[in-house]
PDB file of all heavy atoms in Angstrom:
ATOM      1  N   VAL A   1     215.950 155.582 -75.263  1.00  0.00           N
ATOM      2  CA  VAL A   1     215.222 154.400 -75.723  1.00  0.00           C
ATOM      3  C   VAL A   1     213.766 154.484 -75.276  1.00  0.00           C
ATOM      4  O   VAL A   1     212.840 154.208 -76.049  1.00  0.00           O
ATOM      5  CB  VAL A   1     215.889 153.116 -75.196  1.00  0.00           C
ATOM      6  CG1 VAL A   1     215.070 151.892 -75.573  1.00  0.00           C
ATOM      7  CG2 VAL A   1     217.303 152.989 -75.751  1.00  0.00           C
ATOM      8  N   VAL A   2     213.560 154.868 -74.030  1.00  0.00           N
ATOM      9  CA  VAL A   2     212.194 154.994 -73.504  1.00  0.00           C
ATOM     10  C   VAL A   2     211.424 156.065 -74.277  1.00  0.00           C
ATOM     11  O   VAL A   2     210.258 155.891 -74.641  1.00  0.00           O
ATOM     12  CB  VAL A   2     212.214 155.318 -72.003  1.00  0.00           C
ATOM     13  CG1 VAL A   2     210.806 155.604 -71.490  1.00  0.00           C
ATOM     14  CG2 VAL A   2     212.845 154.160 -71.225  1.00  0.00           C
ATOM     15  N   THR A   3     212.088 157.193 -74.560  1.00  0.00           N
ATOM     16  CA  THR A   3     211.442 158.274 -75.310  1.00  0.00           C
ATOM     17  C   THR A   3     211.041 157.815 -76.702  1.00  0.00           C
ATOM     18  O   THR A   3     209.951 158.138 -77.193  1.00  0.00           O
ATOM     19  CB  THR A   3     212.380 159.481 -75.399  1.00  0.00           C
ATOM     20  OG1 THR A   3     212.679 159.957 -74.082  1.00  0.00           O
ATOM     21  CG2 THR A   3     211.738 160.609 -76.207  1.00  0.00           C
ATOM     22  N   ALA A   4     211.931 157.066 -77.344  1.00  0.00           N
ATOM     23  CA  ALA A   4     211.622 156.563 -78.686  1.00  0.00           C
ATOM     24  C   ALA A   4     210.397 155.659 -78.664  1.00  0.00           C
ATOM     25  O   ALA A   4     209.550 155.696 -79.567  1.00  0.00           O
ATOM     26  CB  ALA A   4     212.829 155.827 -79.249  1.00  0.00           C
ATOM     27  N   ALA A   5     210.282 154.827 -77.625  1.00  0.00           N
ATOM     28  CA  ALA A   5     209.108 153.953 -77.510  1.00  0.00           C
ATOM     29  C   ALA A   5     207.840 154.764 -77.272  1.00  0.00           C
ATOM     30  O   ALA A   5     206.778 154.468 -77.839  1.00  0.00           O
ATOM     31  CB  ALA A   5     209.320 152.954 -76.381  1.00  0.00           C
ATOM     32  N   GLU A   6     207.925 155.793 -76.449  1.00  0.00           N
ATOM     33  CA  GLU A   6     206.761 156.629 -76.175  1.00  0.00           C
ATOM     34  C   GLU A   6     206.306 157.363 -77.431  1.00  0.00           C
ATOM     35  O   GLU A   6     205.110 157.557 -77.662  1.00  0.00           O
ATOM     36  CB  GLU A   6     207.091 157.622 -75.060  1.00  0.00           C
ATOM     37  CG  GLU A   6     207.277 156.964 -73.698  1.00  0.00           C
ATOM     38  CD  GLU A   6     207.737 157.944 -72.638  1.00  0.00           C
ATOM     39  OE1 GLU A   6     208.175 159.061 -73.006  1.00  0.00           O
ATOM     40  OE2 GLU A   6     207.687 157.600 -71.445  1.00  0.00           O
ATOM     41  N   MET A   7     207.267 157.780 -78.260  1.00  0.00           N
ATOM     42  CA  MET A   7     206.913 158.480 -79.493  1.00  0.00           C
ATOM     43  C   MET A   7     206.159 157.569 -80.466  1.00  0.00           C
ATOM     44  O   MET A   7     205.395 158.045 -81.305  1.00  0.00           O
ATOM     45  CB  MET A   7     208.171 159.043 -80.157  1.00  0.00           C
ATOM     46  CG  MET A   7     208.828 160.177 -79.374  1.00  0.00           C
ATOM     47  SD  MET A   7     210.328 160.792 -80.160  1.00  0.00           S
ATOM     48  CE  MET A   7     209.664 161.473 -81.693  1.00  0.00           C
ATOM     49  N   ARG A   8     206.377 156.255 -80.333  1.00  0.00           N
ATOM     50  CA  ARG A   8     205.646 155.312 -81.174  1.00  0.00           C
ATOM     51  C   ARG A   8     204.377 154.803 -80.480  1.00  0.00           C
ATOM     52  O   ARG A   8     203.728 153.858 -80.958  1.00  0.00           O
ATOM     53  CB  ARG A   8     206.540 154.115 -81.525  1.00  0.00           C
ATOM     54  CG  ARG A   8     207.762 154.475 -82.352  1.00  0.00           C
ATOM     55  CD  ARG A   8     208.414 153.223 -82.930  1.00  0.00           C
ATOM     56  NE  ARG A   8     209.650 153.518 -83.650  1.00  0.00           N
ATOM     57  CZ  ARG A   8     210.296 152.654 -84.444  1.00  0.00           C
ATOM     58  NH1 ARG A   8     209.770 151.418 -84.618  1.00  0.00           N
ATOM     59  NH2 ARG A   8     211.390 152.985 -85.053  1.00  0.00           N
ATOM     60  N   ASP A   9     204.059 155.390 -79.322  1.00  0.00           N
ATOM     61  CA  ASP A   9     202.866 155.011 -78.549  1.00  0.00           C
ATOM     62  C   ASP A   9     202.897 153.532 -78.153  1.00  0.00           C
ATOM     63  O   ASP A   9     201.859 152.840 -78.162  1.00  0.00           O
ATOM     64  CB  ASP A   9     201.585 155.307 -79.344  1.00  0.00           C
ATOM     65  CG  ASP A   9     201.367 156.799 -79.540  1.00  0.00           C
ATOM     66  OD1 ASP A   9     201.711 157.560 -78.616  1.00  0.00           O
ATOM     67  OD2 ASP A   9     200.866 157.185 -80.610  1.00  0.00           O
ATOM     68  N   LEU A  10     204.073 153.029 -77.804  1.00  0.00           N
ATOM     69  CA  LEU A  10     204.212 151.634 -77.371  1.00  0.00           C
ATOM     70  C   LEU A  10     203.941 151.538 -75.875  1.00  0.00           C
ATOM     71  O   LEU A  10     204.305 152.423 -75.101  1.00  0.00           O
ATOM     72  CB  LEU A  10     205.614 151.125 -77.697  1.00  0.00           C
ATOM     73  CG  LEU A  10     206.032 151.191 -79.180  1.00  0.00           C
ATOM     74  CD1 LEU A  10     207.456 150.686 -79.359  1.00  0.00           C
ATOM     75  CD2 LEU A  10     205.068 150.394 -80.047  1.00  0.00           C
ATOM     76  N   THR A  11     203.311 150.473 -75.468  1.00  0.00           N
ATOM     77  CA  THR A  11     203.004 150.248 -74.052  1.00  0.00           C
ATOM     78  C   THR A  11     204.133 149.450 -73.408  1.00  0.00           C
ATOM     79  O   THR A  11     204.441 148.329 -73.834  1.00  0.00           O
ATOM     80  CB  THR A  11     201.683 149.482 -73.896  1.00  0.00           C
ATOM     81  OG1 THR A  11     200.635 150.235 -74.525  1.00  0.00           O
ATOM     82  CG2 THR A  11     201.353 149.268 -72.423  1.00  0.00           C
ATOM     83  N   LEU A  12     204.759 150.030 -72.386  1.00  0.00           N
ATOM     84  CA  LEU A  12     205.886 149.375 -71.744  1.00  0.00           C
ATOM     85  C   LEU A  12     205.414 148.350 -70.718  1.00  0.00           C
ATOM     86  O   LEU A  12     204.364 148.507 -70.075  1.00  0.00           O
ATOM     87  CB  LEU A  12     206.778 150.411 -71.059  1.00  0.00           C
ATOM     88  CG  LEU A  12     207.343 151.535 -71.944  1.00  0.00           C
ATOM     89  CD1 LEU A  12     208.362 152.364 -71.173  1.00  0.00           C
ATOM     90  CD2 LEU A  12     207.948 150.981 -73.218  1.00  0.00           C
ATOM     91  N   LEU A  13     206.216 147.295 -70.579  1.00  0.00           N
ATOM     92  CA  LEU A  13     205.937 146.238 -69.603  1.00  0.00           C
ATOM     93  C   LEU A  13     206.481 146.642 -68.243  1.00  0.00           C
ATOM     94  O   LEU A  13     207.468 147.368 -68.142  1.00  0.00           O
ATOM     95  CB  LEU A  13     206.568 144.928 -70.069  1.00  0.00           C
ATOM     96  CG  LEU A  13     206.187 144.472 -71.488  1.00  0.00           C
ATOM     97  CD1 LEU A  13     206.974 143.224 -71.867  1.00  0.00           C
ATOM     98  CD2 LEU A  13     204.692 144.232 -71.588  1.00  0.00           C
ATOM     99  N   ARG A  14     205.856 146.157 -67.192  1.00  0.00           N
ATOM    100  CA  ARG A  14     206.284 146.476 -65.824  1.00  0.00           C
ATOM    101  C   ARG A  14     206.772 145.216 -65.129  1.00  0.00           C
ATOM    102  O   ARG A  14     206.290 144.105 -65.395  1.00  0.00           O
ATOM    103  CB  ARG A  14     205.111 147.073 -65.030  1.00  0.00           C
ATOM    104  CG  ARG A  14     204.539 148.348 -65.638  1.00  0.00           C
ATOM    105  CD  ARG A  14     205.513 149.505 -65.523  1.00  0.00           C
ATOM    106  NE  ARG A  14     204.987 150.717 -66.131  1.00  0.00           N
ATOM    107  CZ  ARG A  14     205.629 151.871 -66.172  1.00  0.00           C
ATOM    108  NH1 ARG A  14     206.842 151.953 -65.640  1.00  0.00           N
ATOM    109  NH2 ARG A  14     205.081 152.923 -66.743  1.00  0.00           N
ATOM    110  N   THR A  15     207.734 145.408 -64.245  1.00  0.00           N
ATOM    111  CA  THR A  15     208.261 144.281 -63.480  1.00  0.00           C
ATOM    112  C   THR A  15     208.916 144.789 -62.216  1.00  0.00           C
ATOM    113  O   THR A  15     209.316 145.955 -62.130  1.00  0.00           O
ATOM    114  CB  THR A  15     209.291 143.481 -64.295  1.00  0.00           C
ATOM    115  OG1 THR A  15     209.734 142.353 -63.509  1.00  0.00           O
ATOM    116  CG2 THR A  15     210.507 144.341 -64.626  1.00  0.00           C
ATOM    117  N   GLU A  16     209.011 143.897 -61.244  1.00  0.00           N
ATOM    118  CA  GLU A  16     209.764 144.219 -60.033  1.00  0.00           C
ATOM    119  C   GLU A  16     211.100 143.501 -60.030  1.00  0.00           C
ATOM    120  O   GLU A  16     211.854 143.584 -59.065  1.00  0.00           O
ATOM    121  CB  GLU A  16     208.951 143.831 -58.796  1.00  0.00           C
ATOM    122  CG  GLU A  16     207.654 144.633 -58.641  1.00  0.00           C
ATOM    123  CD  GLU A  16     206.884 144.217 -57.406  1.00  0.00           C
ATOM    124  OE1 GLU A  16     207.351 143.291 -56.699  1.00  0.00           O
ATOM    125  OE2 GLU A  16     205.819 144.819 -57.135  1.00  0.00           O
ATOM    126  N   THR A  17     211.379 142.788 -61.109  1.00  0.00           N
ATOM    127  CA  THR A  17     212.637 142.044 -61.216  1.00  0.00           C
ATOM    128  C   THR A  17     213.492 142.670 -62.305  1.00  0.00           C
ATOM    129  O   THR A  17     213.423 142.280 -63.479  1.00  0.00           O
ATOM    130  CB  THR A  17     212.364 140.564 -61.547  1.00  0.00           C
ATOM    131  OG1 THR A  17     211.407 140.053 -60.632  1.00  0.00           O
ATOM    132  CG2 THR A  17     213.651 139.753 -61.471  1.00  0.00           C
ATOM    133  N   ALA A  18     214.250 143.686 -61.943  1.00  0.00           N
ATOM    134  CA  ALA A  18     215.145 144.372 -62.875  1.00  0.00           C
ATOM    135  C   ALA A  18     216.399 144.787 -62.121  1.00  0.00           C
ATOM    136  O   ALA A  18     216.316 145.349 -61.019  1.00  0.00           O
ATOM    137  CB  ALA A  18     214.470 145.579 -63.498  1.00  0.00           C
ATOM    138  N   VAL A  19     217.548 144.479 -62.715  1.00  0.00           N
ATOM    139  CA  VAL A  19     218.838 144.781 -62.079  1.00  0.00           C
ATOM    140  C   VAL A  19     219.719 145.502 -63.097  1.00  0.00           C
ATOM    141  O   VAL A  19     219.902 145.018 -64.225  1.00  0.00           O
ATOM    142  CB  VAL A  19     219.550 143.510 -61.591  1.00  0.00           C
ATOM    143  CG1 VAL A  19     220.902 143.861 -60.987  1.00  0.00           C
ATOM    144  CG2 VAL A  19     218.682 142.765 -60.582  1.00  0.00           C
ATOM    145  N   GLU A  20     220.255 146.652 -62.709  1.00  0.00           N
ATOM    146  CA  GLU A  20     221.183 147.376 -63.585  1.00  0.00           C
ATOM    147  C   GLU A  20     222.620 147.089 -63.167  1.00  0.00           C
ATOM    148  O   GLU A  20     222.954 147.154 -61.975  1.00  0.00           O
ATOM    149  CB  GLU A  20     220.932 148.882 -63.530  1.00  0.00           C
ATOM    150  CG  GLU A  20     221.880 149.658 -64.440  1.00  0.00           C
ATOM    151  CD  GLU A  20     221.626 151.160 -64.432  1.00  0.00           C
ATOM    152  OE1 GLU A  20     220.956 151.638 -63.493  1.00  0.00           O
ATOM    153  OE2 GLU A  20     222.096 151.846 -65.361  1.00  0.00           O
ATOM    154  N   VAL A  21     223.442 146.749 -64.142  1.00  0.00           N
ATOM    155  CA  VAL A  21     224.875 146.603 -63.915  1.00  0.00           C
ATOM    156  C   VAL A  21     225.524 147.878 -64.437  1.00  0.00           C
ATOM    157  O   VAL A  21     225.573 148.082 -65.663  1.00  0.00           O
ATOM    158  CB  VAL A  21     225.445 145.370 -64.651  1.00  0.00           C
ATOM    159  CG1 VAL A  21     226.936 145.256 -64.379  1.00  0.00           C
ATOM    160  CG2 VAL A  21     224.713 144.112 -64.225  1.00  0.00           C
ATOM    161  N   PRO A  22     225.973 148.764 -63.571  1.00  0.00           N
ATOM    162  CA  PRO A  22     226.472 150.065 -64.020  1.00  0.00           C
ATOM    163  C   PRO A  22     227.516 149.939 -65.123  1.00  0.00           C
ATOM    164  O   PRO A  22     228.412 149.092 -65.063  1.00  0.00           O
ATOM    165  CB  PRO A  22     227.083 150.664 -62.742  1.00  0.00           C
ATOM    166  CG  PRO A  22     226.319 150.023 -61.630  1.00  0.00           C
ATOM    167  CD  PRO A  22     226.052 148.624 -62.103  1.00  0.00           C
ATOM    168  N   ALA A  23     227.363 150.792 -66.157  1.00  0.00           N
ATOM    169  CA  ALA A  23     228.273 150.876 -67.300  1.00  0.00           C
ATOM    170  C   ALA A  23     228.215 149.653 -68.202  1.00  0.00           C
ATOM    171  O   ALA A  23     229.002 149.528 -69.130  1.00  0.00           O
ATOM    172  CB  ALA A  23     229.709 151.112 -66.846  1.00  0.00           C
ATOM    173  N   HIS A  24     227.277 148.741 -67.957  1.00  0.00           N
ATOM    174  CA  HIS A  24     227.168 147.553 -68.808  1.00  0.00           C
ATOM    175  C   HIS A  24     225.767 147.376 -69.380  1.00  0.00           C
ATOM    176  O   HIS A  24     225.599 147.222 -70.586  1.00  0.00           O
ATOM    177  CB  HIS A  24     227.570 146.294 -68.016  1.00  0.00           C
ATOM    178  CG  HIS A  24     229.027 146.233 -67.731  1.00  0.00           C
ATOM    179  ND1 HIS A  24     229.594 146.859 -66.642  1.00  0.00           N
ATOM    180  CD2 HIS A  24     230.034 145.620 -68.396  1.00  0.00           C
ATOM    181  CE1 HIS A  24     230.901 146.651 -66.653  1.00  0.00           C
ATOM    182  NE2 HIS A  24     231.194 145.899 -67.707  1.00  0.00           N
ATOM    183  N   GLY A  25     224.726 147.370 -68.545  1.00  0.00           N
ATOM    184  CA  GLY A  25     223.384 147.162 -69.059  1.00  0.00           C
ATOM    185  C   GLY A  25     222.406 146.782 -67.971  1.00  0.00           C
ATOM    186  O   GLY A  25     222.671 146.942 -66.774  1.00  0.00           O
ATOM    187  N   VAL A  26     221.254 146.243 -68.415  1.00  0.00           N
ATOM    188  CA  VAL A  26     220.156 145.907 -67.503  1.00  0.00           C
ATOM    189  C   VAL A  26     219.676 144.489 -67.796  1.00  0.00           C
ATOM    190  O   VAL A  26     219.564 144.073 -68.957  1.00  0.00           O
ATOM    191  CB  VAL A  26     218.977 146.894 -67.676  1.00  0.00           C
ATOM    192  CG1 VAL A  26     217.794 146.489 -66.791  1.00  0.00           C
ATOM    193  CG2 VAL A  26     219.413 148.322 -67.342  1.00  0.00           C
ATOM    194  N   THR A  27     219.386 143.771 -66.705  1.00  0.00           N
ATOM    195  CA  THR A  27     218.736 142.464 -66.808  1.00  0.00           C
ATOM    196  C   THR A  27     217.352 142.592 -66.176  1.00  0.00           C
ATOM    197  O   THR A  27     217.225 143.045 -65.030  1.00  0.00           O
ATOM    198  CB  THR A  27     219.534 141.387 -66.065  1.00  0.00           C
ATOM    199  OG1 THR A  27     220.832 141.286 -66.650  1.00  0.00           O
ATOM    200  CG2 THR A  27     218.847 140.042 -66.157  1.00  0.00           C
ATOM    201  N   ALA A  28     216.319 142.215 -66.944  1.00  0.00           N
ATOM    202  CA  ALA A  28     214.950 142.338 -66.438  1.00  0.00           C
ATOM    203  C   ALA A  28     214.151 141.098 -66.822  1.00  0.00           C
ATOM    204  O   ALA A  28     214.417 140.462 -67.848  1.00  0.00           O
ATOM    205  CB  ALA A  28     214.293 143.592 -66.987  1.00  0.00           C
ATOM    206  N   ARG A  29     213.161 140.760 -66.001  1.00  0.00           N
ATOM    207  CA  ARG A  29     212.302 139.619 -66.287  1.00  0.00           C
ATOM    208  C   ARG A  29     210.855 140.096 -66.369  1.00  0.00           C
ATOM    209  O   ARG A  29     210.342 140.733 -65.456  1.00  0.00           O
ATOM    210  CB  ARG A  29     212.452 138.544 -65.219  1.00  0.00           C
ATOM    211  CG  ARG A  29     211.591 137.294 -65.477  1.00  0.00           C
ATOM    212  CD  ARG A  29     211.958 136.176 -64.530  1.00  0.00           C
ATOM    213  NE  ARG A  29     213.286 135.648 -64.815  1.00  0.00           N
ATOM    214  CZ  ARG A  29     213.556 134.748 -65.770  1.00  0.00           C
ATOM    215  NH1 ARG A  29     212.581 134.293 -66.538  1.00  0.00           N
ATOM    216  NH2 ARG A  29     214.778 134.315 -65.945  1.00  0.00           N
ATOM    217  N   PHE A  30     210.219 139.756 -67.512  1.00  0.00           N
ATOM    218  CA  PHE A  30     208.829 140.102 -67.732  1.00  0.00           C
ATOM    219  C   PHE A  30     208.045 138.800 -67.915  1.00  0.00           C
ATOM    220  O   PHE A  30     208.091 138.189 -68.984  1.00  0.00           O
ATOM    221  CB  PHE A  30     208.690 140.983 -68.977  1.00  0.00           C
ATOM    222  CG  PHE A  30     209.507 142.251 -68.910  1.00  0.00           C
ATOM    223  CD1 PHE A  30     210.730 142.330 -69.560  1.00  0.00           C
ATOM    224  CD2 PHE A  30     209.067 143.334 -68.171  1.00  0.00           C
ATOM    225  CE1 PHE A  30     211.487 143.484 -69.502  1.00  0.00           C
ATOM    226  CE2 PHE A  30     209.827 144.495 -68.103  1.00  0.00           C
ATOM    227  CZ  PHE A  30     211.040 144.569 -68.761  1.00  0.00           C
ATOM    228  N   GLY A  31     207.412 138.379 -66.852  1.00  0.00           N
ATOM    229  CA  GLY A  31     206.744 137.083 -66.873  1.00  0.00           C
ATOM    230  C   GLY A  31     207.773 135.983 -67.026  1.00  0.00           C
ATOM    231  O   GLY A  31     208.704 135.855 -66.220  1.00  0.00           O
ATOM    232  N   ALA A  32     207.657 135.183 -68.089  1.00  0.00           N
ATOM    233  CA  ALA A  32     208.599 134.091 -68.311  1.00  0.00           C
ATOM    234  C   ALA A  32     209.809 134.524 -69.129  1.00  0.00           C
ATOM    235  O   ALA A  32     210.761 133.763 -69.295  1.00  0.00           O
ATOM    236  CB  ALA A  32     207.884 132.933 -69.015  1.00  0.00           C
ATOM    237  N   GLN A  33     209.789 135.756 -69.663  1.00  0.00           N
ATOM    238  CA  GLN A  33     210.873 136.225 -70.525  1.00  0.00           C
ATOM    239  C   GLN A  33     211.962 136.929 -69.731  1.00  0.00           C
ATOM    240  O   GLN A  33     211.673 137.780 -68.874  1.00  0.00           O
ATOM    241  CB  GLN A  33     210.338 137.202 -71.577  1.00  0.00           C
ATOM    242  CG  GLN A  33     209.668 136.549 -72.776  1.00  0.00           C
ATOM    243  CD  GLN A  33     209.303 137.587 -73.824  1.00  0.00           C
ATOM    244  OE1 GLN A  33     208.880 138.686 -73.491  1.00  0.00           O
ATOM    245  NE2 GLN A  33     209.465 137.230 -75.095  1.00  0.00           N
ATOM    246  N   GLU A  34     213.228 136.597 -70.048  1.00  0.00           N
ATOM    247  CA  GLU A  34     214.367 137.313 -69.482  1.00  0.00           C
ATOM    248  C   GLU A  34     214.965 138.183 -70.595  1.00  0.00           C
ATOM    249  O   GLU A  34     215.345 137.692 -71.659  1.00  0.00           O
ATOM    250  CB  GLU A  34     215.435 136.361 -68.961  1.00  0.00           C
ATOM    251  CG  GLU A  34     216.604 137.110 -68.309  1.00  0.00           C
ATOM    252  CD  GLU A  34     217.711 136.171 -67.866  1.00  0.00           C
ATOM    253  OE1 GLU A  34     218.192 135.392 -68.724  1.00  0.00           O
ATOM    254  OE2 GLU A  34     218.115 136.219 -66.687  1.00  0.00           O
ATOM    255  N   VAL A  35     215.052 139.489 -70.318  1.00  0.00           N
ATOM    256  CA  VAL A  35     215.544 140.443 -71.318  1.00  0.00           C
ATOM    257  C   VAL A  35     216.858 141.039 -70.828  1.00  0.00           C
ATOM    258  O   VAL A  35     216.949 141.517 -69.689  1.00  0.00           O
ATOM    259  CB  VAL A  35     214.512 141.565 -71.564  1.00  0.00           C
ATOM    260  CG1 VAL A  35     215.052 142.601 -72.543  1.00  0.00           C
ATOM    261  CG2 VAL A  35     213.205 140.975 -72.085  1.00  0.00           C
ATOM    262  N   ILE A  36     217.854 140.978 -71.702  1.00  0.00           N
ATOM    263  CA  ILE A  36     219.163 141.564 -71.417  1.00  0.00           C
ATOM    264  C   ILE A  36     219.395 142.682 -72.439  1.00  0.00           C
ATOM    265  O   ILE A  36     219.289 142.453 -73.650  1.00  0.00           O
ATOM    266  CB  ILE A  36     220.308 140.530 -71.540  1.00  0.00           C
ATOM    267  CG1 ILE A  36     219.962 139.250 -70.763  1.00  0.00           C
ATOM    268  CG2 ILE A  36     221.622 141.137 -71.076  1.00  0.00           C
ATOM    269  CD1 ILE A  36     219.885 139.447 -69.281  1.00  0.00           C
ATOM    270  N   VAL A  37     219.719 143.891 -71.966  1.00  0.00           N
ATOM    271  CA  VAL A  37     219.974 145.014 -72.864  1.00  0.00           C
ATOM    272  C   VAL A  37     221.208 145.762 -72.386  1.00  0.00           C
ATOM    273  O   VAL A  37     221.396 145.964 -71.189  1.00  0.00           O
ATOM    274  CB  VAL A  37     218.756 145.961 -72.937  1.00  0.00           C
ATOM    275  CG1 VAL A  37     218.401 146.519 -71.574  1.00  0.00           C
ATOM    276  CG2 VAL A  37     219.007 147.097 -73.914  1.00  0.00           C
ATOM    277  N   GLY A  38     222.085 146.139 -73.338  1.00  0.00           N
ATOM    278  CA  GLY A  38     223.282 146.876 -72.962  1.00  0.00           C
ATOM    279  C   GLY A  38     224.397 146.732 -73.980  1.00  0.00           C
ATOM    280  O   GLY A  38     224.154 146.585 -75.182  1.00  0.00           O
ATOM    281  N   LYS A  39     225.642 146.726 -73.497  1.00  0.00           N
ATOM    282  CA  LYS A  39     226.822 146.603 -74.357  1.00  0.00           C
ATOM    283  C   LYS A  39     226.852 145.232 -75.022  1.00  0.00           C
ATOM    284  O   LYS A  39     226.288 144.254 -74.519  1.00  0.00           O
ATOM    285  CB  LYS A  39     228.095 146.785 -73.538  1.00  0.00           C
ATOM    286  CG  LYS A  39     228.439 148.224 -73.191  1.00  0.00           C
ATOM    287  CD  LYS A  39     229.776 148.251 -72.465  1.00  0.00           C
ATOM    288  CE  LYS A  39     230.255 149.676 -72.226  1.00  0.00           C
ATOM    289  NZ  LYS A  39     231.560 149.695 -71.523  1.00  0.00           N
ATOM    290  N   LEU A  40     227.593 145.143 -76.150  1.00  0.00           N
ATOM    291  CA  LEU A  40     227.721 143.875 -76.858  1.00  0.00           C
ATOM    292  C   LEU A  40     228.349 142.812 -75.966  1.00  0.00           C
ATOM    293  O   LEU A  40     227.854 141.668 -75.906  1.00  0.00           O
ATOM    294  CB  LEU A  40     228.555 144.066 -78.127  1.00  0.00           C
ATOM    295  CG  LEU A  40     228.850 142.799 -78.924  1.00  0.00           C
ATOM    296  CD1 LEU A  40     227.562 142.141 -79.407  1.00  0.00           C
ATOM    297  CD2 LEU A  40     229.778 143.116 -80.094  1.00  0.00           C
ATOM    298  N   ALA A  41     229.409 143.146 -75.263  1.00  0.00           N
ATOM    299  CA  ALA A  41     230.083 142.160 -74.426  1.00  0.00           C
ATOM    300  C   ALA A  41     229.170 141.652 -73.320  1.00  0.00           C
ATOM    301  O   ALA A  41     229.162 140.461 -72.989  1.00  0.00           O
ATOM    302  CB  ALA A  41     231.352 142.768 -73.831  1.00  0.00           C
ATOM    303  N   PHE A  42     228.374 142.555 -72.743  1.00  0.00           N
ATOM    304  CA  PHE A  42     227.461 142.181 -71.677  1.00  0.00           C
ATOM    305  C   PHE A  42     226.357 141.256 -72.204  1.00  0.00           C
ATOM    306  O   PHE A  42     226.025 140.230 -71.591  1.00  0.00           O
ATOM    307  CB  PHE A  42     226.855 143.451 -71.075  1.00  0.00           C
ATOM    308  CG  PHE A  42     225.869 143.220 -69.970  1.00  0.00           C
ATOM    309  CD1 PHE A  42     226.277 142.684 -68.749  1.00  0.00           C
ATOM    310  CD2 PHE A  42     224.532 143.537 -70.131  1.00  0.00           C
ATOM    311  CE1 PHE A  42     225.360 142.472 -67.727  1.00  0.00           C
ATOM    312  CE2 PHE A  42     223.616 143.333 -69.119  1.00  0.00           C
ATOM    313  CZ  PHE A  42     224.036 142.801 -67.911  1.00  0.00           C
TER     314      PHE A  42
END
């Protein structure tokens, strides 16, 4: 996913609030936004 974004020259957001749930996905906060990425169930 990161490689695909780099190939499109997209600028990634940075945060110190990111938690990975192994085998399920990642929860991250970018400013006021909370982003959840991973499996459908998660």
Side-chain angles (χ1 to χ4, degrees):
V1 175
V2 174
T3 299
E6 291 174 345
M7 292 179 65
R8 297 193 184 192
D9 293 325
L10 302 179
T11 302
L12 303 188
L13 306 175
R14 301 291 179 180
T15 182
E16 296 180 359
T17 309
V19 178
E20 180 178 18
V21 180
H24 289 85
V26 176
T27 299
R29 181 170 291 278
F30 303 100
Q33 280 186 322
E34 183 184 54
V35 177
I36 311 294
V37 59
K39 282 184 174 180
L40 176 61
F42 179 67

